[in-house]
Amino acid sequence: QVQLVESGGGLVQAGGSLRLSCAASGRTFSSLWMAWFRQAPGKERDLVARIGSGGRIRYTDSVKGRFTISRDNAKNTLYLQMNSLNPEDTGVYYCAASESPFIPIRTSNYDSWGQGTQVTISS
């Protein structure tokens, strides 16, 4: 498995920005599918964005144009730049890794998870 540690969460006003980071260790980071999920209170954990080893990216519709996922393979680190934040973005954000040879579509396709970082957006 991969050890994942998120950082960068916090409390910001609507319209503000945050940058999340996820430090990975234990596997060859560059070969992994990496993703950010979020879980709002009382809701399921949903995919926010994922990025493949070759840079293939997918965003959930609600964050397109506002969030940017990226990775630095030299630093074994995954990022999520979040701009134009709104209260609906509030939740616990999780970093996840998948060793699947196929696109990891489902939450269950991810093998390793971080502990999560809280993001709270005030109106």
Side-chain angles (χ1 to χ4, degrees):
Q1 281 195 338
V2 183
Q3 289 74 50
L4 302 171
V5 179
E6 302 100 334
S7 60
L11 170 65
V12 297
Q13 289 186 333
S17 299
L18 282 173
R19 188 192 197 203
L20 305 183
S21 299
C22 172
S25 61
R27 283 288 187 269
T28 303
F29 178 78
S30 60
S31 67
L32 299 170
W33 283 92
M34 298 297 298
W36 289 98
F37 286 76
R38 70 183 173 196
Q39 188 165 20
K43 296 188 177 181
E44 294 185 349
R45 190 175 300 186
D46 294 324
L47 178 71
V48 174
R50 66 169 179 248
I51 183 169
S53 58
R56 184 174 180 178
I57 290 173
R58 177 182 173 86
Y59 297 99
T60 192
D61 287 345
S62 63
V63 308
K64 287 180 180 177
R66 301 188 298 121
F67 291 13
T68 302
I69 188 172
S70 62
R71 64 193 300 163
D72 186 335
N73 290 335
K75 295 182 178 180
N76 289 352
T77 303
L78 177 73
Y79 302 99
L80 185 68
Q81 177 67 44
M82 305 186 293
N83 300 326
S84 301
L85 287 160
N86 60 61
E88 289 69 39
D89 296 315
T90 294
V92 179
Y93 282 69
Y94 296 91
C95 172
S98 174
E99 300 182 53
S100 171
F102 308 106
I103 299 174
I105 297 174
R106 298 181 177 84
T107 304
S108 59
N109 295 147
Y110 290 83
D111 314 293
S112 303
W113 295 84
Q115 81 286 353
T117 185
Q118 177 70 46
V119 171
T120 304
I121 312 303
S122 63
S123 57

